[in-house]
Amino acid sequence: MTTPTLTALMELAQQEPTSIGTSGLRDWILNNLIPLLLLVVALLLLWLGGGKGDNAGVMRRLGGVIVALAVIGLAVTNAGEGIGRWIAGLFTG
């Protein structure tokens, strides 16, 4: 005696295994979350500093945002090794 649920589970167990990865989540973060966070940061910088005339404070915060974007870019593109070799080549000739 088999129920439809048990039959479906048996068919699922006999299927070819699929690889499990995080590429879908990574792509979603890169395509949706990063631009949204950049928009929020830009609006906050304009709202907090631009209205008060604190241009120096806005630029100081913008420097931190640029550094954070550079770190995210290195992590996403896996370019850290190539950049490290290039910097080492500057000193070793």
Side-chain angles (χ1 to χ4, degrees):
M1 178 173 147
T2 61
T3 62
T5 305
L6 184 58
T7 304
L9 285 174
M10 287 175 26
E11 289 177 10
L12 183 62
Q14 293 172 357
Q15 289 180 357
E16 291 291 323
T18 57
S19 64
I20 297 175
T22 59
S23 63
L25 178 63
R26 178 181 175 271
D27 291 341
W28 183 86
I29 288 173
L30 288 176
N31 294 332
N32 297 312
L33 193 61
I34 300 294
L36 182 63
L37 287 175
L38 288 175
L39 178 65
V40 168
V41 167
L43 290 175
L44 282 174
L45 286 175
L46 288 173
W47 181 60
L48 292 175
K52 300 176 188 173
D54 184 21
N55 294 334
V58 171
M59 293 309 290
R60 212 173 25 249
R61 290 181 188 103
L62 185 63
V65 170
I66 291 172
V67 168
L69 286 174
V71 169
I72 290 172
L74 282 174
V76 168
T77 61
N78 295 327
E81 182 181 353
I83 293 172
R85 288 177 194 255
W86 175 74
I87 291 173
L90 291 175
F91 295 108
T92 60

